């Protein structure tokens, strides 16, 4: 048995109300119909019909369907994880009490506050009508230190030297990454034809994205913003890339239209878990505290800002708005230029001596 509700000229249904030949089920359906009418007259009608679902002992079909549709459209890991988590939970989230119970279930299953926050954010994303308040929470999410993703100039020098000696095949990749701030998918999808040697530029117009539904599969896509952009590279980067090209030529795997960075054995595209292992090994050897792989981009942009580059120019190069660049990447680097009148007083070592 189902209840049909007309909302803004469209039919919506509340299912699983019981059997037509069961008087008690019919009575509950009539009471639910009366409540819906009373809420409509009182101005508290829930247009999502979520609060009128008969039981939370069934999977939330509407929310699951919306998440599944979004995950198939964007192929993003966080959306897919939200969909799979709710499917595993197997209950309907009708009201705030149900959501609180779901949050406690996630925490009991070892999910961290930040992960729970991301899942509820995906719920709000696919159910924006009356669910923005339903899926709010009061969990404390630690943002971490502002220095957590930025390596100092000394650390960058140390780790690059270690990679040059101990990770010869991957050294050019990390050298370019720390010298350009490109995104992970842009590094993976970089092809030789996009490098303009004479002008010292790399044209970024495509990415090699991981398929969130199948993490061993990759597909070509546009940039995150859908726009082409130019990333300048210096002489040292050009020299390292040319040496890497010569190495690939000697191995017979160079292709003008092929990938710049491939795995050393199968010669297929590189992937984050592999690069993460290389990165972690190098940090351990250098005695540097662990940083996530995305520290390459954060370190480059933070240092480039600290050196006095125009935020607008850097934002264009990074594929961000100026506001987002300053909000996300303007982090302490240890680079501070003192005003001229302080420098004229002499060195601090002169005062000590």
């Amino acid at each position: 048995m189902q209840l049909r509700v007309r909302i803004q000229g469209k039919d919506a249904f509340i299912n699983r109300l019981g059997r037509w030949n069961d008087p008690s089920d019919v009575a509950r359906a009539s009471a639910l119909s009366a409540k819906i009418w009373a809420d409509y007259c009182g101005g508290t009608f829930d247009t999502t019909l979520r609060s009128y679902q008969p039981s939370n002992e069934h999977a939330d079909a509407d929310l699951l369907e919306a998440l599944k549709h979004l995950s198939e459209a964007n192929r993003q890991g966080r959306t897919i994880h939200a969909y799979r988590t709710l499917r595993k939970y197997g209950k309907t989230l009708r009201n705030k009490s149900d959501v609180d119970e779901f949050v406690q279930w996630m925490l009991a299953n070892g999910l961290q506050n930040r992960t729970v926050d991301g899942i509820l954010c995906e719920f709000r994303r696919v159910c924006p009508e009356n669910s923005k308040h339903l899926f709010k929470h009061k969990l404390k999410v630690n943002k971490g230190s502002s220095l957590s993703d930025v390596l100092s100039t000394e650390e960058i020098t140390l780790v690059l030297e270690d990679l040059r000696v101990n990770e010869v095949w991957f050294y050019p990749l990390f050298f370019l990454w720390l010298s350009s701030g490109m995104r992970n998918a842009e590094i993976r999808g970089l092809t030789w034809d996009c490098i303009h040697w004479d002008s010292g530029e790399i044209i970024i117009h495509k990415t090699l994205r991981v398929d969130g539904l199948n993490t061993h599969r990759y597909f070509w896509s546009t940039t995150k913003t859908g726009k082409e952009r130019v990333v300048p590279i210096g002489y040292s980067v050009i020299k390292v890339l040319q040496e890497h090209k010569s190495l690939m030529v000697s191995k017979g795997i160079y292709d003008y239209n092929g990938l710049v960075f491939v795995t050393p054995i199968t010669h297929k595209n590189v992937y984050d878990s592999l690069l993460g292992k290389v990165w972690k090994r190098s940090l351990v050897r250098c005695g540097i505290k662990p940083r996530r792989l995305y520290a390459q981009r954060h370190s480059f942009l933070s240092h480039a800002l600290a050196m006095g580059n125009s935020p607008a120019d850097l934002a264009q190069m990074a594929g961000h708005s100026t506001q987002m660049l300053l909000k996300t990447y303007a982090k302490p680097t240890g680079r501070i230029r003192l005003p001229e009148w302080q420098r004229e007083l002499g060195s601090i070592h002169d005062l000590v001596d």
Side-chain angles (χ1 to χ4, degrees), residues 280-312:
K280 183 178 180 180
R281 287 200 300 261
S282 180
L283 293 180
V284 170
R285 286 193 295 262
C286 295
I288 300 174
K289 72 176 184 178
R291 303 299 214 291
R292 59 178 182 163
L293 203 56
Y294 212 61
Q296 323 286 337
R297 181 170 169 85
H298 278 267
S299 295
F300 170 78
L301 292 174
S302 295
H303 280 281
L305 280 169
M307 292 174 68
N309 287 286
S310 163

Side-chain angles (χ1 to χ4, degrees), residues 5 75 92 120 141 176 238 246 261 264:
V5 183
R75 321 294 283 192
T92 301
L120 295 182
V141 178
L176 172 63
I238 293 176
S246 299
F261 304 114

Side-chain angles (χ1 to χ4, degrees), residues 198-212:
D198 294 337
S199 58
E201 296 175 342
I202 294 178
I203 307 301
I204 305 295
H205 63 88
K206 62 182 183 296
T207 59
L208 192 58
R209 291 179 55 190
V210 62
D211 187 342

Side-chain angles (χ1 to χ4, degrees), residues 77-97:
R78 61 181 287 170
T79 309
I80 296 163
H81 184 236
Y83 166 70
R84 290 174 176 170
T85 302
L86 181 62
R87 186 178 62 182
K88 182 179 179 181
Y89 183 60
K91 297 181 181 180
T92 301
L93 306 180
R94 303 170 303 168
N95 48 48
K96 191 61 179 173
S97 177

Side-chain angles (χ1 to χ4, degrees), residues 68-80 209-214 217 219:
K68 182 180 180 181
H69 178 74
L70 180 61
S71 64
E72 290 174 345
N74 65 17
R75 321 294 283 192
Q76 290 182 354
R78 61 181 287 170
T79 309
I80 296 163
R209 291 179 55 190
V210 62
D211 187 342
L213 292 171
N214 183 353
R217 186 177 148 204
F219 63 97

